[in-house]
Amino acid sequence: MEDVGVENMKGLADAFATSQSVEDFLLDPNIFIPLQATTVEESTKLVWSRFDYDGVVVELKNLKGLHIPFSRLNMAPFKMHQLKNSWHTIKKHFDLSKVSVEGLKVLRKVRGFDFAYLDRGFKLEAIVIPKSLVLVDRVCTMTDYLPRHTVDLVNGILTKFVELLKDLPLEELTRPTLQKTIIHNKGSMNVLPQDQTFVLSKLDEAKRMLPEHPTLEVRFFVYKFGQKEREPFELLTVADPDDVVRCSLHVACNLIPMDPHTTLFWSRAGLERMFGPRARFFTCMSMHECVNVQTELDQHPPDILRPLAEIATKPNVTFWQFYVDSPHTHYMSTFRHPISGLIVTGGLGHPNYVQAVATRAEDYYIHMMDLARKAAGNYNLRIEIVEGKEGKELADLDLVFPCEFFDWKALHKCLRDFPLVVPFKREHEQPSVNEILSRCLKYMADQLRQLGEKHTGKGGFLPVWKAFQLELALEEALYGHPLSNMDRQYSAALGTSSLHEFSATNMRGFMGLGAATGAAIDDRPPPLAHWTRDTLQMKRIERLFALTLTLECEPSVLGPELVKLLLKDLFRRNDGIFISELQGEKCPENLKGHINLASLTENLATRDSFPTPFTFARARKLVEGEGKNVQECLRAGFLELKIRWFPDIKYRDIKGTRRASWNLMDYVEIHNDDREPSIESQAMAIVGDVAMEMERRGLCYARTLERYREHGMPWLPQVMKRIPGKTEKHTRNKVLVLVSSVGLIMNKDFVSYEKLKDLLLELKMTQAELQKYRILSTSVCEKVFGFTLYKLHYDILYRMGNPKPHTEKKLPPDLPLEMEEEDAPVLEEDEEPDLLQTRAVYMPAQTSRHWTQQEEGFINLDPTISTGVAYKEYVGQCKAARLPARSYKGFGRKRRDLLRNE
């Protein structure tokens, strides 16, 4: 074992020493670190054993049988937010062979409350579980059924408990505990030792008084985990065996190397021979050949082979686990990837949400840095089994030492017969494998912090993907898999996966990083479902993310992206915006007038009319934060995109609130200072003035003019072209009012002839002149009495058509116009990791096998090629052929023999 440990450590230490920095070591794709597993021949001399209890779960039949003292009992009603996922408490406690498939699905969703904190590190938890886990009622599978009824049932017990206390006779009310408790104040009860059994018996009675629930029942569990106690266990110190339904013990055996310079990991090659295909393998510290493994939690017996089964001395083992006690505590948070989330969301969330994510990001960094520092300490190998006892078997739990659950002779036989360990032995001035791992983890955590500090709320393609990659790398190293199943494919592409054959970590054989943008599709961010489920918020983030890619560019590049973002806000969608229609000769929908480009950009850059859900206001702040002029960027964007038609924005809503709006139909023509707007735009711009003058003169009713204000007067563009340019402005305006009155008459709308006659008398330009300019025709309007009025010229359009219906592409998507104040957390509590099963890459040391003709064909016999390069090629071809590769020494000997025989 020592020789293999020295060789493994030499390959890792040399690669680390030849790298200029930790960053170079992690990013170098040419680093290749083969790791060999081995047997432990003289196991009793090389490792020693230590046994402990890692957890205890006791299911109580009656609370009065509880013997562990406690001082405080909660009496206040529980709230929904206090619910906890109880699957983690009971998943190894139940005999799952007696549970149906549907029952197991429901059991994963059960919820409960911590009822009391007991002495010696124990907790009392009330969990609501279906009465039958074989024939499960369908209502139990409904999303909110278990949480809602859990709160009702547990609070029902507390209500009945308080009622019982109120109805106690006087002699019971004089108990010391009740004298110090205000029963009507539903807070907490300070339970004195002499009254503990009495209080618990009243809780039992309150539980029995509850109306029987058709599908669910409340069960009480006493538990503690992670204590690693070496003292013997005695059930009587926890509870009366007569009041216990079932007791499960988590018992562990630690294997510790005698040599303090040696570190051991469980090997994939060896444990593959001890566990069946249903076992779950997790890569340890991003080294493919090193694993942790556990049996599946399902209805089947543990999938283990006979040599492993002989290690346990007791018959009721329901769970097996082999792991290295490296730092791996989870950061309990509802926000996954908080640091990359702070960057990618660009500060678009509600302030409370942004603050919550920022707090989690700081805690996440502290947690990861803490684990990285601890990774430099010594690791032990651990074997953990769970033994369940119930009924008459509970009597056996009387001063039971943890070592009694293991057959140490069978254990050492397995170590001698199977290559179960991957050793690392440090020599001289070499850093240990623990120190190298710690330095790599600290580098990644520190890089995360720097990215968060520099780019929070600013987006950016590389910063987002780099932070996301580092978070995945930390998860893979510390937990053996990404914490979200949707991240598995991203982990492979980013090089952090130890399982995918083309991932950098897998190809190196040790922790590594690929290209930070290797998983990106075009210019898209990581999956936004990690940070929000709100569809509108996702679209807003996508809009802003595209802009952040160009923040450091010149206005000619940044400007078009800023204009596109504004258009996406106005159209309320990110796709299907046809820029070519906004550049064409014809207005896409209703033309409402024209606007100078300078005026438009000034309004857009300065008006405070873009609150949430607009993204444009945040975009303006980011552009200003880069020291750029927003108006200049907008001007450059409009000129670069050659946009001629732009949405006719109203900067205030009907209530007068500063909120931009657009009806998805009306446009204005944009023109620059050096170019006059089209006559059509000028005509639409003057419609309002003409209508207002007609209304002021009493020519027609305001309601008659509504549709003309909305859809324009079709005769105005041609009339304006035909009025001589030297005509005075006031005369020109009166001509437009006159011809508009004629247009209304020709559209069979009411016009006051009396007022129209007065207008003709005021007009300096006669109808004859208007006929000469081909504005009026020689045809007389019918039913006009007292004066003559001519119709519009025959080639001037006058008929008002039906308004255009919305085309499908113009309809806004089915999105809310307002966002919820806070995004809901997106964590799936019960998500089980999807694991890719792989085989060991290297043949264990001290394993003999005849060299096949295929293997010999993998050996490069070019004498100018070094043995190291030839070995790397050989391992790659073995991987492709699904064959375990031999050790470096064995390969070297075979290659020398073949070269000598040539």
Side-chain angles (χ1 to χ4, degrees):
M1 182 183 82
E2 291 185 349
D3 292 343
V4 177
V6 170
E7 186 177 343
N8 286 341
M9 190 66 239
K10 183 177 185 302
L12 174 59
D14 289 350
F16 191 75
T18 54
S19 301
Q20 295 183 355
S21 63
V22 176
E23 181 179 13
D24 290 339
F25 172 72
L26 291 172
L27 293 174
D28 190 347
N30 297 316
I31 286 179
F32 175 65
I33 305 169
L35 300 178
Q36 223 82 45
T38 183
T39 58
V40 186
E41 292 297 331
E42 298 179 338
S43 57
T44 54
K45 295 181 180 179
L46 296 176
V47 295
W48 61 284
S49 306
R50 188 174 66 201
F51 304 89
D52 59 60
Y53 288 108
D54 196 40
V56 177
V57 180
V58 178
E59 184 179 354
L60 297 176
K61 189 184 306 178
N62 297 300
L63 284 172
K64 65 179 178 61
L66 180 65
H67 290 169
I68 305 175
F70 65 95
S71 58
R72 191 168 294 278
L73 177 71
N74 178 71
M75 294 173 62
F78 288 103
K79 306 294 183 183
M80 187 69 75
H81 70 270
Q82 294 175 281
L83 278 172
K84 59 176 288 189
N85 185 355
S86 299
W87 165 246
H88 304 298
T89 303
I90 61 176
K91 62 183 179 181
K92 301 174 188 176
H93 172 76
F94 280 95
D95 183 358
L96 298 179
S97 64
K98 301 176 183 179
V99 178
S100 67
V101 175
E102 285 299 318
L104 182 58
K105 289 180 181 178
V106 174
L107 204 57
R108 291 179 182 274
K109 299 178 180 179
V110 297
R111 298 293 185 263
F113 296 103
D114 281 330
F115 219 69
Y117 292 89
L118 315 180
D119 292 355
R120 294 162 37 203
F122 283 90
K123 293 180 182 178
L124 174 64
E125 183 174 357
I127 305 176
V128 174
I129 298 175
K131 291 181 177 179
S132 171
L133 292 172
V134 179
L135 298 174
V136 182
D137 196 301
R138 289 180 60 186
V139 296
C140 295
T141 62
M142 295 171 61
T143 303
D144 63 338
Y145 184 81
L146 282 173
R148 182 161 41 85
H149 286 268
T150 298
V151 174
D152 293 344
L153 286 171
V154 176
N155 284 340
I157 293 176
L158 290 175
T159 301
K160 295 292 184 184
F161 176 63
V162 172
E163 291 175 1
L164 284 172
L165 295 183
K166 291 178 181 178
D167 295 337
L168 286 175
L170 183 60
E171 57 271 18
E172 297 291 357
L173 287 172
T174 58
R175 287 178 176 272
T177 295
L178 298 181
Q179 284 184 336
K180 293 180 176 291
T181 301
I182 301 175
I183 298 174
H184 296 275
N185 180 16
K186 294 183 178 180
S188 60
M189 174 183 286
N190 186 25
V191 182
L192 301 178
Q194 60 267 38
D195 296 325
Q196 177 171 315
T197 303
F198 171 78
V199 171
L200 292 174
S201 65
K202 290 300 175 185
L203 279 171
D204 285 330
E205 187 177 346
K207 179 184 173 184
R208 290 192 294 270
M209 289 173 61
L210 275 182
E212 184 177 1
H213 196 279
T215 58
L216 304 174
E217 63 180 350
V218 182
R219 300 193 197 180
F220 287 96
F221 295 82
V222 175
Y223 72 95
K224 70 173 177 179
F225 296 118
Q227 301 298 319
K228 294 183 171 58
E229 293 183 352
R230 302 180 200 173
E231 291 77 15
F233 176 76
E234 184 177 8
L235 179 59
L236 198 60
T237 62
V238 177
D240 188 335
D242 294 335
D243 290 313
V244 172
V245 177
R246 181 179 174 87
C247 176
S248 56
L249 299 172
H250 298 232
V251 195
C253 170
N254 299 272
L255 297 178
I256 305 169
M258 299 284 193
D259 181 5
H261 301 299
T262 298
T263 301
L264 301 179
F265 293 86
W266 292 115
S267 83
R268 187 183 296 273
L271 292 182
E272 283 173 351
R273 306 183 190 184
M274 308 288 283
F275 288 85
R278 286 177 37 255
R280 299 174 69 81
F281 287 79
F282 301 88
T283 303
C284 182
M285 285 294 180
S286 294
M287 296 181 286
H288 179 267
E289 297 304 295
C290 305
V291 296
N292 300 323
V293 62
Q294 65 182 38
T295 53
E296 185 67 270
L297 290 166
D298 56 18
Q299 297 83 8
H300 305 286
D303 192 6
I304 58 173
L305 304 184
R306 184 172 180 178
L308 179 57
E310 292 175 350
I311 293 176
T313 60
K314 308 293 182 181
N316 299 323
V317 176
T318 58
F319 181 80
W320 288 80
Q321 186 175 12
F322 281 57
Y323 64 98
V324 178
D325 64 347
S326 57
H328 61 274
T329 55
H330 283 259
Y331 171 60
M332 304 307 294
S333 171
T334 52
F335 300 95
R336 287 187 179 138
H337 308 302
I339 295 178
S340 57
L342 270 181
I343 300 173
V344 74
T345 52
L348 285 176
H350 187 276
N352 292 351
Y353 173 81
V354 174
Q355 182 58 45
V357 178
T359 302
R360 302 307 190 284
E362 179 65 22
D363 294 344
Y364 179 88
Y365 163 72
I366 293 172
H367 181 81
M368 289 300 176
M369 185 58 77
D370 180 63
L371 294 182
R373 292 193 186 100
K374 292 175 181 175
N378 294 325
Y379 308 156
N380 297 328
L381 299 180
R382 282 176 66 84
I383 304 172
E384 183 181 319
I385 61 175
V386 177
E387 175 81 12
K389 300 284 187 182
E390 57 186 40
K392 295 181 180 180
E393 297 173 343
L394 295 171
D396 299 336
L397 299 179
D398 182 19
L399 290 176
V400 184
F401 285 86
C403 60
E404 296 180 30
F405 292 86
F406 293 92
D407 185 337
W408 65 272
K409 291 183 179 179
L411 174 58
H412 284 282
K413 184 177 186 300
C414 286
L415 290 173
R416 290 193 301 271
D417 295 346
F418 298 94
L420 293 181
V421 298
V422 176
F424 292 86
K425 181 176 173 60
R426 178 169 62 91
E427 289 189 330
H428 310 302
E429 300 300 322
Q430 285 180 337
S432 68
V433 62
N434 312 55
E435 292 170 355
I436 293 175
L437 288 170
S438 176
R439 289 181 63 181
C440 292
L441 294 173
K442 284 194 286 188
Y443 164 80
M444 290 190 288
D446 195 56
Q447 284 293 299
L448 260 181
R449 178 184 59 82
Q450 293 179 27
L451 286 169
E453 289 179 350
K454 186 176 180 180
H455 299 283
T456 290
K458 297 180 180 179
F461 186 71
L462 187 59
V464 166
W465 278 106
K466 186 64 178 177
F468 186 69
Q469 179 192 39
L470 293 172
E471 288 168 332
L472 286 183
L474 288 169
E475 291 178 9
E476 288 272 8
L478 296 169
Y479 311 125
H481 60 88
L483 295 183
S484 174
N485 287 332
M486 77 170 74
D487 290 338
R488 195 173 58 154
Q489 57 183 338
Y490 293 96
S491 177
L494 292 169
T496 61
S497 172
S498 62
L499 303 180
H500 196 279
E501 58 181 331
F502 297 114
S503 173
T505 296
N506 180 277
M507 296 172 70
R508 290 159 49 101
F510 192 84
M511 183 187 304
L513 299 173
T517 58
I521 301 174
D522 298 328
D523 290 335
R524 293 183 175 275
L528 298 179
H530 281 305
W531 304 289
T532 180
R533 287 191 178 127
D534 187 275
T535 307
L536 176 57
Q537 182 71 340
M538 285 186 181
K539 291 185 178 296
R540 296 178 72 224
I541 294 173
E542 288 172 357
R543 294 169 198 165
L544 192 65
F545 186 76
L547 176 75
T548 61
L549 307 185
T550 61
L551 281 177
E552 297 180 0
C553 299
E554 291 300 308
S556 59
V557 178
L558 172 58
E561 291 298 330
L562 186 59
V563 173
K564 289 177 184 177
L565 180 145
L566 176 58
L567 288 172
K568 291 173 183 178
D569 273 352
L570 294 172
F571 279 90
R572 305 179 200 166
R573 60 174 180 262
N574 291 357
D575 302 314
I577 300 173
F578 302 101
I579 301 292
S580 59
E581 291 188 3
L582 305 180
Q583 300 167 334
E585 290 296 323
K586 184 180 179 182
C587 180
E589 290 280 352
N590 300 333
L591 181 59
K592 283 298 183 180
H594 62 87
I595 189 170
N596 183 277
L597 180 59
S599 300
L600 176 62
T601 54
E602 182 181 3
N603 287 337
L604 293 176
T606 58
R607 292 227 183 193
D608 188 18
S609 299
F610 300 95
T612 303
F614 283 97
T615 315
F616 186 63
R618 178 61 185 165
R620 290 194 318 197
K621 288 184 179 180
L622 290 178
V623 173
E624 291 169 354
E626 290 295 321
K628 294 181 170 61
N629 184 289
V630 176
Q631 186 173 352
E632 182 184 338
C633 291
L634 286 169
R635 178 182 175 82
F638 280 109
L639 294 176
E640 195 73 25
L641 292 174
K642 299 178 181 178
I643 289 179
R644 181 179 181 185
W645 316 103
F646 191 73
D648 183 18
I649 301 174
K650 308 301 180 188
Y651 293 97
R652 289 183 181 268
D653 59 18
I654 57 175
K655 296 180 181 179
T657 307
R658 286 182 294 185
R659 179 185 293 272
S661 62
W662 178 49
N663 63 4
L664 297 168
M665 294 185 297
D666 296 342
Y667 291 83
V668 292
E669 182 184 10
I670 303 173
H671 65 92
N672 216 335
D673 295 333
D674 57 354
R675 184 171 64 86
E676 284 291 322
S678 66
I679 198 70
E680 290 81 6
S681 300
Q682 295 181 45
M684 285 302 302
I686 207 171
V687 164
D689 295 335
V690 172
M692 186 181 298
E693 181 64 16
M694 292 176 70
E695 187 178 343
R696 186 186 70 80
R697 287 177 172 272
L699 285 164
C700 56
Y701 299 121
R703 63 176 178 272
T704 305
L705 293 167
E706 284 181 3
R707 66 170 178 152
Y708 295 96
R709 282 194 175 101
E710 184 67 24
H711 303 291
M713 298 176 175
W715 52 83
L716 281 182
Q718 290 168 294
V719 171
M720 291 174 67
K721 289 178 184 177
R722 300 180 185 191
I723 297 176
K726 60 183 180 181
T727 306
E728 296 178 356
K729 183 177 180 180
H730 67 277
T731 302
R732 177 189 181 92
N733 291 341
K734 288 180 181 179
V735 169
L736 294 176
V737 172
L738 171 64
V739 297
S740 296
S741 300
V742 175
L744 263 66
I745 293 172
M746 294 176 70
N747 277 286
K748 302 188 183 310
D749 284 322
F750 169 78
V751 174
S752 172
Y753 293 139
E754 183 180 349
K755 301 294 183 182
L756 189 55
K757 184 177 180 181
D758 294 341
L759 176 60
L760 284 171
L761 294 175
E762 293 179 21
L763 194 60
K764 294 181 179 179
M765 192 178 292
T766 64
Q767 291 190 74
E769 290 179 279
L770 293 177
Q771 288 174 332
K772 183 175 64 173
Y773 301 142
R774 302 176 69 83
I775 294 174
L776 295 180
S777 69
T778 56
S779 299
V780 179
C781 290
E782 301 172 355
K783 300 180 181 179
V784 177
F785 303 104
F787 67 100
T788 303
L789 183 66
Y790 295 94
K791 293 182 180 179
L792 295 177
H793 197 270
Y794 67 89
D795 61 356
I796 293 178
L797 296 175
Y798 71 89
R799 191 174 298 281
M800 290 290 292
N802 294 325
K804 295 180 183 178
H806 283 293
T807 57
E808 189 63 30
K809 67 180 182 180
K810 298 297 179 182
L811 286 173
D814 187 18
L815 291 176
L817 290 177
E818 298 291 339
M819 290 173 51
E820 294 188 10
E821 287 195 353
E822 297 185 51
D823 289 333
V826 297
L827 181 64
E828 297 291 340
E829 291 185 351
D830 304 321
E831 185 176 5
E832 292 289 336
D834 291 334
L835 299 179
L836 178 67
Q837 298 296 342
T838 65
R839 307 294 293 179
V841 174
Y842 301 99
M843 185 185 299
Q846 302 168 354
T847 302
S848 61
R849 191 183 75 192
H850 179 70
W851 279 85
T852 64
Q853 187 174 358
Q854 182 186 18
E855 275 189 286
E856 290 183 355
F858 294 159
I859 301 176
N860 189 330
L861 296 179
D862 184 351
T864 61
I865 299 296
S866 68
T867 303
V869 173
Y871 181 63
K872 186 175 181 181
E873 292 178 1
Y874 161 76
V875 172
Q877 295 188 65
C878 284
K879 276 186 180 181
R882 306 284 183 183
L883 292 175
R886 298 174 187 267
S887 69
Y888 180 78
K889 284 185 177 179
F891 171 84
R893 285 195 299 267
K894 185 64 177 179
R895 186 169 186 261
R896 285 194 298 272
D897 292 342
L898 293 176
L899 286 173
R900 195 181 299 119
N901 294 332
E902 280 195 340

